[in-house]
Amino acid sequence: MVEQRMADGPFEQEIVQRLGLMPNLFRPTPSAPETVRQLWQLAKCAYLDAPLPALFKERLAVHLSRLNGSSYCLTRHFAFLIGLGTPAPDAAFQPETLDQARALLSLPLADPARIAAALTRLEAVEDPIDIPEPRSDGEADLLDAASAMFVSSQAAARSRLALRKAFGEPRFEILTAFMAYLRMAHFWADAHPELSLDPDVLALTRSDPDLAIRLTCGEPRHYDMPAPAKPGANGSEASAHRLQRILEIDSVGVLFFDHVEGTLIDANDAFFNMTGYSREEVANRQLTWQRMTPPEWRVSSAAQIDLLQRTGRIGPYEKEYFRKNGERTWMMFAGRDIGDGTLVELAMNIDDRKRTEAALRDSETRFRQFGEASSDVLWIRDADRLHWEYLSPAFEAIYGVPRAVVLQGDHITPWTDLMLAEDRPRAVESLDRARRGERDSFDFRIIRQTDGAIRWLRIRSFPMVDATGHVQRIGGITQDITAVVSANEHQKFLLAELQHRVRNLLAVIRSIIRRTGDSSDSVEDFAGHLEGRISALSRIQAVITRDPVAGFDLAELIADELRAGAAREDRQFSLAGPSLRIKAKAAESIGLAMHELATNALKYGALTVPRGFISIEWRLDERDATRSLVIDWTETGMSGHRLTASRQGFGTVLLEQMLPYDVGAQVTRRFEPSGLRCEIRLPADDILKR
């Protein structure tokens, strides 16, 4: 703990007790001491007492302070990180080594592609996770997501959702409060450029000039720098020569500003060529950075001027600039105060880079929208380690697991574990082929985790090469083809069933022809009977062709045969019975039986007399634990007419021999005074569709 000053009161003593020192950030201002006390209250609740890992808080504070360019906050938290001070509430806090902390200063800042990849991984997290370990890939993703949110970049809204999903609502709110405190501290430090570095930080930067540059974006302003030696004539001439050579560079603009007034006082030809302004406008002091800066960029530019006043340096930073014709151009600036109130800035036109970046962002957005809308899985793997770089949301619907499940370990085993064991070697082989520059396609099976169903998938993989032809990535599309495989299997079944039916149908036709010939008295009689029976068979086959799986409606089957004989429902016949559907094979036999009974009624029975009527009823009957379908054919209106059994023709053979043989029927025929009565008893479980 640092030595307490005599003038320090209870407020300062509390801070020293918590932090091990008294940072200048919290030293009360004489004009409004309460404001600093409020800042300290925010620091305690949102920073010191926030239930986040202490080491993580300091690493995040260092990372975000680099983004804001706040030298004071950056150096203070860097010092805490390496053990200068005691901000952690627990004694178990282990400071980082100087090398570990220095490595944090080298992490990329606000790289759109890096942030987008990090957000994709966080969005794939299914259940909230803990704060990752320091220097892990998970921590890098968290730092990138927090960066996008902290600086309110285009990805800020997406970052908020990703952080909330990955780390849970309570931890997200704690993290947000911590970042809010950091923003407030940065703003406070920026609003007080007179704020000097704390003594321990000052000693650290003096002992390590390279670290001082990293921490303050240049040589620190707050420690004593030796005055530059005055060059002699030769030195002056050499310096002037070097300056002249710099001004002659035609790709970099060199600007000289009176940074107090903000007026451009000189520039090289390259700058005038970039912007269209003239030396006359400079000579007339008509150009200021405010005039040349679009309104939405003036606040950030003013912040750079504040940075200049505190550090003597400015940038590097990027912004849009007005050309003389009113068009905008993207430029990158960096400069420093050369000691006499003059700011020298180097300016580079970065329009092409910005257009390229915008095109890449648009392309990435379109690709992501395409991937998120696709019902197929789109994926990209790194060719070296085979780690997923992109995995579209359709993966979760097809495989039945969150993407985070396979974004672990080697990124291969968690994926192949979802497959049937015998298909796994082929999957690995496919990736090896793509690494060798080959395209590949194969089918495999998975067990979908949500319902345990076996699904057939087809994967097409292809190499993605760089300009030299080397395979850098492997891309692929995975499609659920279960429906296609099922359709193919069903088609094979239907083809086999068709072949079977054709053979049976030909056998039935041969039997019809043979028995019709045996029972016919003439060629005309043979042709008439044969045509009727073939027509009956044809009607049944037409229904089979339309929907071989659905079965036949028994009522329609019987009615069709009666209507074919010109019988009229309600006047000459009636149907009564439950709605039943029968299988195709049984339909052929029952349909022919109904045809023969209808033909017999038309030639010899009820349909030959004016008052003749046919009543067909069917029912399900259970006897001795066996269900039967019973069809009763009852003819009436024949009283007074002679009833005799016709000779044994095809109809008799069909009812008494073929029907029992084909479908296990029991047929009883009786010739009563009112007409023929025929009962057909069939095994219900064998002939009915379920």
Side-chain angles (χ1 to χ4, degrees):
M1 184 178 295
V2 299
E3 183 179 355
Q4 196 66 27
R5 299 190 311 183
M6 293 297 294
D8 288 346
F11 174 66
E12 290 82 0
Q13 292 173 10
E14 178 189 6
I15 295 175
V16 172
Q17 185 177 4
R18 291 297 302 269
L19 299 180
L21 50 83
M22 179 64 193
N24 291 329
L25 182 73
F26 296 115
R27 291 204 177 274
T29 59
S31 57
E34 275 304 312
T35 56
V36 177
R37 287 181 168 80
Q38 294 299 323
L39 181 62
W40 170 244
Q41 294 302 319
L42 179 61
K44 286 195 294 183
C45 67
Y47 165 39
L48 298 176
D49 296 335
L52 296 170
L55 183 56
F56 166 73
K57 286 190 287 188
E58 297 309 324
R59 286 178 61 83
L60 180 60
V62 169
H63 187 69
L64 297 182
S65 296
R66 293 174 62 214
L67 282 169
N68 196 58
S70 176
S71 295
Y72 179 86
C73 293
L74 174 60
T75 53
R76 180 64 269 160
H77 285 290
F78 185 89
F80 281 150
L81 184 60
I82 62 174
L84 300 179
T86 57
D90 58 279
F93 171 72
Q94 291 295 322
E96 291 198 328
T97 66
L98 190 57
D99 287 340
Q100 289 173 331
R102 194 190 298 266
L104 182 61
L105 300 177
S106 300
L107 288 181
L109 287 175
D111 177 56
R114 180 185 172 95
I115 290 174
L119 295 181
T120 297
R121 289 187 287 269
L122 291 175
E123 289 164 345
V125 174
E126 187 64 23
D127 297 317
I129 59 176
D130 293 331
I131 298 298
E133 291 296 316
R135 296 173 293 281
S136 65
D137 291 343
E139 187 205 46
D141 288 345
L142 175 50
L143 294 180
D144 285 334
S147 298
M149 182 174 162
F150 191 73
V151 300
S152 301
S153 70
Q154 292 180 348
R158 184 182 169 199
S159 298
R160 285 193 293 273
L161 294 175
L163 287 170
R164 181 180 282 110
K165 182 177 186 294
F167 298 100
E169 189 76 26
R171 194 173 285 117
F172 170 76
E173 295 300 339
I174 293 168
L175 185 63
T176 302
F178 177 46
M179 289 194 288
Y181 161 71
L182 285 178
R183 267 197 178 172
M184 178 63 73
H186 291 174
F187 182 82
W188 185 263
D190 289 344
H192 296 80
E194 73 280 2
L195 198 66
S196 60
L197 296 183
D198 300 327
D200 59 338
V201 174
L202 188 58
L204 176 66
T205 54
R206 280 175 172 167
S207 65
D208 192 334
D210 176 70
L211 180 61
I213 293 174
R214 287 173 175 267
L215 290 175
T216 61
C217 302
E219 291 89 345
R221 181 173 182 242
H222 302 293
Y223 59 83
D224 299 331
M225 297 291 292
K230 296 181 180 180
N234 292 336
S236 298
E237 292 175 3
S239 297
H241 177 72
R242 286 193 295 268
L243 176 60
Q244 183 61 37
R245 300 297 291 176
I246 292 174
L247 294 174
E248 291 174 357
I249 297 175
D250 58 8
S251 59
V252 177
V254 182
L255 301 80
F256 297 88
F257 278 99
D258 178 336
H259 64 71
V260 176
E261 296 180 0
T263 305
L264 183 66
I265 56 178
D266 199 2
N268 68 343
D269 290 339
F271 173 76
F272 294 123
N273 292 335
M274 290 177 187
T275 61
Y277 296 114
S278 65
R279 291 192 179 279
E280 181 180 359
E281 290 171 295
V282 173
N284 294 333
R285 301 180 73 86
Q286 295 175 328
L287 301 180
T288 63
W289 67 261
Q290 292 92 339
R291 173 186 168 185
M292 294 183 287
T293 300
E296 64 269 29
W297 290 101
R298 289 174 187 166
V299 173
S300 60
S301 297
Q304 290 293 325
I305 297 299
D306 290 342
L307 180 65
L308 175 71
Q309 293 173 350
R310 289 185 288 108
T311 67
R313 289 181 176 269
I314 194 169
Y317 70 103
E318 300 173 358
K319 68 175 180 180
E320 287 184 296
Y321 223 51
F322 279 133
R323 290 192 176 100
K324 183 174 182 177
N325 61 8
E327 294 179 354
R328 296 186 178 205
T329 182
W330 273 97
M331 301 183 76
M332 181 170 65
F333 299 92
R336 67 172 299 161
D337 187 339
I338 59 176
D340 59 354
T342 301
L343 166 67
V344 59
E345 272 192 310
L346 301 182
M348 292 185 63
N349 188 297
I350 57 172
D351 253 353
D352 290 342
R353 176 167 69 81
K354 284 295 184 178
R355 280 194 294 268
T356 301
E357 290 175 354
L360 287 173
R361 285 194 300 271
D362 290 344
S363 177
E364 180 184 349
T365 299
R366 288 192 295 270
F367 174 75
R368 190 170 301 281
Q369 290 172 342
F370 174 74
E372 291 176 354
S374 174
S375 58
D376 297 335
V377 183
L378 310 181
W379 54 267
I380 299 174
R381 287 182 182 269
D382 172 77
D384 291 332
R385 298 190 300 163
L386 295 180
H387 280 199
W388 304 97
E389 291 187 352
Y390 176 77
L391 189 59
S392 69
F395 177 90
E396 299 183 354
I398 289 179
Y399 285 83
V401 296
R403 284 174 285 177
V405 169
V406 294
L407 297 174
Q408 302 179 43
D410 61 1
H411 288 209
I412 298 295
T413 304
W415 171 57
T416 56
D417 282 348
L418 301 174
M419 304 176 187
L420 269 62
E422 54 267 36
D423 292 342
R424 294 170 188 169
R426 183 66 178 85
V428 176
E429 178 190 350
S430 176
L431 294 177
D432 288 337
R433 288 184 178 182
R435 286 170 112 176
R436 297 194 299 267
E438 303 175 19
R439 290 178 173 266
D440 190 35
S441 176
F442 73 98
D443 301 341
F444 63 99
R445 292 157 296 171
I446 65 166
I447 301 177
R448 187 165 58 192
Q449 302 300 294
T450 49
D451 55 11
I454 294 180
R455 309 292 296 180
W456 275 95
L457 306 184
R458 175 168 296 158
I459 190 168
R460 296 181 178 89
S461 55
F462 47 87
M464 302 172 69
V465 301
D466 59 17
T468 64
H470 290 92
V471 178
Q472 296 293 314
R473 294 175 177 81
I474 300 171
I477 302 173
T478 304
Q479 181 182 24
D480 188 331
I481 60 168
T482 305
V484 175
V485 172
S486 298
N488 289 339
E489 293 296 326
H490 186 61
Q491 188 175 27
K492 292 177 183 177
F493 167 77
L494 291 179
L495 181 59
E497 182 70 13
L498 177 61
Q499 293 172 340
H500 175 70
R501 290 187 183 281
V502 168
R503 287 194 297 268
N504 286 346
L505 183 61
L506 291 175
V508 171
I509 292 174
R510 283 196 299 268
S511 177
I512 290 174
I513 293 173
R514 183 173 64 252
R515 294 189 179 276
T516 302
D518 292 342
S519 60
S520 298
D521 296 327
S522 64
V523 173
E524 290 78 7
D525 188 35
F526 170 79
H529 283 89
L530 181 62
E531 180 180 1
R533 289 159 184 162
I534 295 297
S535 295
L537 195 61
S538 174
R539 285 190 291 274
I540 297 171
Q541 295 305 313
V543 177
I544 292 176
T545 304
R546 284 198 301 271
D547 193 346
V549 178
F552 292 77
D553 183 275
L554 180 59
E556 286 297 321
L557 180 65
I558 297 172
D560 282 349
E561 295 308 321
L562 288 165
R563 294 190 194 105
R568 289 170 291 181
E569 192 168 0
D570 296 333
R571 295 184 59 185
Q572 291 181 299
F573 73 91
S574 67
L575 305 176
S579 177
L580 299 174
R581 302 193 76 83
I582 57 179
K583 297 178 182 178
K585 176 59 181 174
E588 291 178 353
S589 300
I590 295 172
L592 286 173
M594 294 298 105
H595 171 76
E596 292 303 321
L597 288 170
T599 300
N600 186 72
L602 187 64
K603 297 177 72 173
Y604 310 110
L607 298 183
T608 63
V609 297
R611 294 185 179 181
F613 195 83
I614 305 172
S615 175
I616 304 100
E617 298 180 354
W618 60 91
R619 67 186 185 279
L620 291 174
D621 185 33
E622 188 164 347
R623 185 182 303 171
D624 299 330
T626 302
R627 283 200 320 156
S628 298
L629 169 63
V630 181
I631 302 175
D632 284 323
W633 177 287
T634 304
E635 298 183 20
T636 57
M638 295 294 293
S639 298
H641 295 270
R642 183 184 176 191
L643 295 173
T644 58
S646 62
R647 61 186 174 82
Q648 190 174 23
F650 177 77
T652 303
V653 172
L654 174 68
L655 291 169
E656 296 182 355
Q657 298 180 25
M658 293 178 62
L659 204 59
Y661 176 79
D662 288 341
V663 291
Q666 298 175 8
V667 181
T668 303
R669 291 197 302 164
R670 296 192 305 272
F671 290 93
E672 299 179 349
S674 60
L676 172 67
R677 181 165 186 175
C678 180
E679 180 187 89
I680 303 173
R681 183 175 290 271
L682 301 139
D685 293 337
D686 293 339
I687 69 170
L688 293 180
K689 291 288 291 185
R690 289 180 175 82

